Amino acid sequence: MDRDTWMYGLERDSNEYIVNLKDFLKVAENNRVNKGENHIWCPCKLCQNCKMLYEVNEVEEHLIVSGFMYGYTRWSRHGELLIDRNMVDIECNDDDQTDYFEDDNNDKLDDMLHDIEDEVPDKDHLKFQQLFDDAEKPLYVGCTKFTKLSAVLKLMNLKVTHGWSDKSFTDTLETLHEMLPDDNELPVSTYQAKKLMCPMGLEIERIHACPNDCMLYRDQYADLDKCVTCGTSRYKKKNETEVNDNVKKNAPAAKVLWYFPIIPRLKRLFANTKNAKLLRWHAEDRKKDGKIRHVADSPQWRNIDYEFKEFGDEIRNIRFGLSSDGINPFGNMSTQHSTWPVLLCIYNLPPWLCMKRKYIMMSLLIQGPKQPGNDIDVYLAPLIEDMKILWNSGVDVYDAYNKECFRLRAMIFCTISDFPAYANLSGYSTKGKKACPDIRVKATASVKMNKNPPRLGPLGYRGNRPRWEKEMESGEMTKVRKISSRRARDYIFARLKRDASGALRVTPQIEPIVDALVEKQNEVTQADSEIAPGSDLLVEVLGPEHPGRLRAMGYNVGLKQSIIGIKEKNRKQEVLVLKEIKDKQEDHSTLIADMREEITMLRREMAGNRNIDVTSPVVNQTSIGSAPMVDVLDNITVATECELLLPYGMVERKCAKGQVFPCGNGILHTVPMQKDHVRVSVDKIYNGYDSFPIPVPTTDAEDLGAALYSFSQWPRHAILLTKVQQYKKRQETKRMPPIANKPTVMPKKLQDSPMIQSWYSSFTSHKYVEEFHVESEPGIFGPARIETYIRPEVILEMLNREELDINCIIWYQMVLHSIIATNGANRCAFINPQSITETECDLDDMDINNKRGNRVVNDIVDTMRYHQDKHFFLAPYWQSRHWLLIVICPYQRTGYILDSVKKSGNPLDRYKVISHVERAVATYNGTTEMSHPMKWTFTNCNQQLSNWECGYYVMKWMREFVMYRQHVFPKNLWNDKNPISGKLLDELVNTWMTTFESNYMK
């Protein structure tokens, strides 16, 4: 059984967990004895390897009560130095790019150390072990944020970023060392810091160079003091007037080239199992379907494999892309300094990795301040020598993936640079006429191919044609007049020459072509031959035109004016397009018919369940939307603006905007109105509802798009008034109807809560509107505003400590959002509970034909994309008359479930929304649920005593997360199963009522 399973998947009171725990304690005890220590670091969720315990029994008790800290499957604090390679799962496909997500809070020191641990030589093993210990040793006792190595790396990064000198950095280290506790591990000098970070490293060659870019002081020139070409000193001068012969020997070099040999780095790549497998990706795991997704799909790659078969047969041979350009390393806008790095990228890797910094090799660094220009080949010499070795003979390399040695070869596959750098690297002139090499080659080839170039001038064929037609009447043009094809005549005229008198003459070079055209013309006229489709007279004589060249075409005249068959081809294309449009229209009509059939079945099902009239579509009235508007619609005397809701389904959605008219005599267009319907006009249709079938179709209109700007019948319960000024006067003297089931005596459970008693008395003694229209600000759940309605009965139920309505949860989310909206450190957002209810999930699951479009998944994805800077999403979920809270972490692909009535062994499939959340997270990350499944955790949250408290528990958990848990989550998971006190429940209700009163109950 692997560690991840027994450490986090088993119940901590099971026999399997206890047996494996004993094995861990043995490892920890042996590590303590080997190190000569008297303590063991406790890896439980509370201590998190930051607390020392002196008894094994104490550690065992902590791990049984609290469990292991998350992600501690390699026991690095208890003696393990090497990673278990069996735990590494490499899947090289398009979805792996998300595995390299960079978290700002994780410097991934462990990953860097594990990448090189297998290739550490025996002589450096102790140094590597010390580096590993420094990466895990706290900066001082009790420090949880920095280790000794991470602190030094952080400070060294600041030194490089801000250009600190070594002296200032040493002073900074000494000051910080004095500020920290006495037992801190921070180095006190720059030398110690560099020694800590670089106990063992790759080879680096520091090569002196001539400041005039003439030569490198290496090989036979290594001991010289002056350049053999220009005589400039190898070392820096004290001042500009100093003579070269007087320059002090062994002084700082005038110019330096840093060379990082690539052969040791390639050996190190293949010594790592993960990297060795990735270097085979282009041959084993690349999708080969004829599309160009990778450099290996290009013709150049295949040509190299064909021409150099021995090189191409070994899939591990490396193909580099070389890139170079000038940079200013000092971070200012001055162009007086130019340092040139030479980079190598490895095209054997997948496309999402070959350009990552981890896999790009800097082979050369050419010191400024002058750019090398065309003399860059001088500095490329060390790299070229290594590349010759890798190409000709190769080097022996150990492949950790195949567990074997092989002969590695490499080549420069291509170069990547801008145009000036291209000239420097290739030695090719990129200035002046025909600067582009490709254009120059094509132009030269075209000139050679065209033995009779035209003499047109700026007018082109069309501009010269009137003058040619006049000159064709002369006697010299008898043969040309016999050619009926205008394009063929233009071709001949453009190649004629003028004699001394200025008249056109047929040259000996063009005369055979004229004779051939006349002969072919006679054959066609006498029906001895015919011109093939898609051809013409000129093509029949001279042969097909090569790509990119059109004979006798120019000046806005295309080939289709002269070649037969173009119009016929266009007509066929138009027929295909029209057929495709017709097929789409038929599919659309079929979809609308299926939708109407489904609506009819839904009406019959609802009528059978509720024993109601099927002639009028009905909706299950819940507190999610507005209350029925029957009484209000009866009071309308003039046309009133309204919004039309979808009359089907459990959640009300707005589909159009229009006006509702007085009831009148119940007749519309001489047709009697159906029961519980009123007359409306459709003035505006919201996006996506044009094809929605109207409740009562007519011969003129069957969907909303056809009913636009006309009258229709609409169910009364699916109409939402937006302006009520027309009937407000009639309601001024009308008292609000009594609240349904309003108790005359205060419930006993409120008699011990003075705070709620006050709210109860205040609320029941005042007159309020029939419902409160609540509208959210944009940005809470997404870019759009969310509208809902809260009835007084709902508020009274909350004061009576009864089940919490969904709109109360939404209002509390608005309150919490207003608190954190201005907080720049906020990392969480909210999911609208209306869009993920059990009913919505059921409707999506039953939607076999995908007509709803996976509405739950799409709503969650839209919210995540709008709040893409947030790490956590709080989703209150209503299922089976019970509230619970789901915390979604899309980037980590984890989820946490807070259920106040959770039982041991609760299966995930009990919660219908889980599968929808997993699909939404996969869609958001661009993956699939199978390749990257989510990991779910049931938290030890508060457990309720009664059957009405779940909604209040969700409010309490959301407030806790927003206020303080989000900043260190998931390190501070809930770990309290005690029920919430009545006092805390009263505070939650008081907060809700206070904010609601200040906005709506004044």
Side-chain angles (χ1 to χ4, degrees), residues 34 90 140 537 616 710 748 780 789 819 841 865 955 981:
N34 293 336
I90 302 177
Y140 53 86
L537 187 64
S616 175
S710 62
K748 290 184 178 180
I780 298 181
Y789 296 86
I819 296 175
C841 295
R865 287 175 177 168
M955 290 168 55
S981 64

Side-chain angles (χ1 to χ4, degrees), residues 596-782:
R596 290 201 178 98
E597 183 179 354
E598 184 175 349
I599 291 173
T600 303
M601 294 177 62
L602 181 61
R603 288 183 186 176
R604 293 174 180 174
E605 181 181 353
M606 297 174 68
N609 292 339
R610 304 188 183 183
N611 198 16
I612 56 179
D613 185 9
V614 298
T615 59
S616 175
V618 297
V619 65
N620 181 23
Q621 291 295 332
T622 67
S623 60
I624 295 176
S626 62
M629 303 292 294
V630 177
D631 295 337
V632 178
L633 293 177
D634 290 338
N635 296 327
I636 291 178
T637 58
V638 295
T640 306
E641 292 186 9
C642 67
E643 288 185 299
L644 306 181
L645 310 177
L646 295 182
Y648 316 107
M650 302 299 292
V651 178
E652 298 178 357
R653 297 183 183 274
K654 300 174 183 177
C655 61
K657 186 176 182 180
Q659 291 183 325
V660 59
F661 293 84
C663 296
N665 57 0
I667 295 178
L668 177 62
H669 299 309
T670 69
V671 178
M673 302 271 299
Q674 294 195 15
K675 182 180 178 182
D676 293 331
H677 283 59
V678 293
R679 183 177 64 162
V680 298
S681 64
V682 182
D683 300 332
K684 179 182 178 182
I685 302 174
Y686 296 149
N687 291 338
Y689 292 103
D690 300 73
S691 301
F692 179 78
I694 59 178
V696 183
T698 64
T699 55
D700 297 328
E702 295 185 352
D703 52 40
L704 274 177
L708 188 63
Y709 305 121
S710 62
F711 295 105
S712 300
Q713 299 185 42
W714 206 266
R716 301 167 70 95
H717 68 266
I719 296 175
L720 178 65
L721 297 182
T722 57
K723 291 187 178 181
V724 296
Q725 292 83 352
Q726 288 80 359
Y727 57 88
K728 187 173 181 180
K729 293 183 179 180
R730 295 181 57 184
Q731 287 189 339
E732 288 179 352
T733 59
K734 179 181 178 182
R735 294 179 59 85
M736 184 193 76
I739 297 176
N741 302 322
K742 174 180 173 181
T744 56
V745 181
M746 185 177 301
K748 290 184 178 180
K749 56 185 177 182
L750 301 183
Q751 294 178 3
D752 58 347
S753 177
M755 183 187 305
I756 303 302
Q757 288 180 19
S758 175
W759 282 114
Y760 188 87
S761 302
S762 174
F763 186 76
T764 55
S765 62
H766 285 74
K767 295 183 296 183
Y768 298 107
V769 296
E770 294 185 1
E771 57 188 3
F772 298 97
H773 179 215
V774 178
E775 184 176 10
S776 71
E777 293 295 328
I780 298 181
F781 306 114

Side-chain angles (χ1 to χ4, degrees), residues 16-27:
E16 292 87 349
Y17 183 87
I18 299 299
V19 171
N20 287 282
L21 178 60
K22 294 292 185 184
D23 294 338
F24 166 77
L25 294 175
K26 290 180 182 179
V27 174

Side-chain angles (χ1 to χ4, degrees), residues 33 147 195 335 553 578 595 706 752 834 950:
V33 174
T147 63
K195 188 175 180 181
T335 59
M553 292 291 105
L578 292 175
M595 186 185 299
D752 58 347
Q834 289 181 343
C950 54

Side-chain angles (χ1 to χ4, degrees), residues 278-505:
L278 289 174
L279 290 169
R280 309 166 65 94
W281 179 92
H282 68 95
E284 295 180 347
D285 300 320
R286 175 172 56 90
K287 186 181 293 186
K288 302 174 184 178
D289 56 358
K291 297 180 180 179
I292 297 182
R293 295 186 175 89
H294 185 264
V295 183
D297 298 316
S298 64
Q300 181 178 340
W301 190 288
R302 296 192 295 271
N303 291 340
I304 291 174
D305 290 344
Y306 178 78
E307 188 170 351
F308 306 100
K309 187 171 181 57
E310 183 181 355
F311 181 88
D313 289 343
E314 177 55 71
I315 62 175
R316 292 171 289 190
N317 286 339
I318 302 297
R319 308 187 196 211
F320 287 117
L322 185 145
S323 177
S324 184
D325 204 352
I327 63 171
N328 186 347
F330 301 107
N332 53 43
M333 299 301 293
S334 173
T335 59
Q336 300 302 315
H337 190 103
S338 181
T339 295
W340 280 61
V342 179
L343 307 178
L344 294 174
C345 60
I346 304 174
Y347 283 132
N348 296 50
L349 295 168
W352 57 89
L353 291 182
C354 60
M355 292 301 171
K356 290 287 184 180
R357 184 171 60 179
K358 178 180 178 180
Y359 294 102
I360 291 181
M361 298 181 180
M362 185 170 70
S363 57
L364 297 169
L365 187 63
I366 306 172
Q367 182 183 1
K370 289 193 310 179
Q371 66 174 0
N374 290 334
D375 295 324
I376 194 173
D377 58 311
V378 174
Y379 298 96
L380 292 174
L383 175 61
I384 298 302
E385 289 179 3
D386 278 355
M387 290 304 305
K388 285 182 178 179
I389 295 174
L390 288 170
W391 173 254
N392 294 325
S393 59
V395 294
D396 291 329
V397 174
Y398 176 72
D399 184 352
Y401 178 71
N402 277 0
K403 310 297 182 185
E404 64 180 9
C405 289
F406 74 102
R407 177 71 65 170
L408 173 68
R409 298 174 62 191
M411 65 175 296
I412 301 294
F413 180 78
C414 65
T415 60
I416 308 171
S417 59
D418 57 12
F419 214 48
Y422 172 81
N424 296 334
L425 289 171
S426 64
Y428 200 99
S429 175
T430 58
K431 299 177 181 178
K433 294 183 178 180
K434 302 179 183 177
C436 178
D438 189 54
I439 292 177
R440 177 180 294 186
V441 171
K442 288 184 177 180
T444 304
S446 177
V447 169
K448 292 180 179 179
M449 186 180 299
N450 190 2
K451 299 180 180 179
N452 298 298
R455 300 174 178 83
L456 293 172
L459 297 178
Y461 285 98
R462 178 176 292 182
N464 284 297
R465 187 171 294 126
R467 184 162 53 91
W468 290 342
E469 297 293 340
K470 290 182 179 179
E471 296 184 356
M472 191 171 58
E473 303 299 328
S474 65
E476 296 292 336
M477 296 292 104
T478 305
K479 287 185 178 181
V480 179
R481 285 200 301 269
K482 295 180 180 179
I483 302 174
S484 60
S485 171
R486 188 177 67 179
R487 179 167 174 256
R489 290 201 307 269
D490 290 347
Y491 179 86
I492 298 299
F493 275 113
R495 287 154 178 82
L496 299 181
K497 289 186 178 180
R498 298 186 182 275
D499 57 14
S501 62
L504 287 174
R505 294 288 183 268

Side-chain angles (χ1 to χ4, degrees), residues 161-175:
T161 303
H162 301 290
W164 297 349
S165 65
D166 289 351
K167 181 66 172 63
S168 66
F169 188 61
T170 298
D171 294 342
T172 302
L173 290 175
E174 292 176 351
T175 304

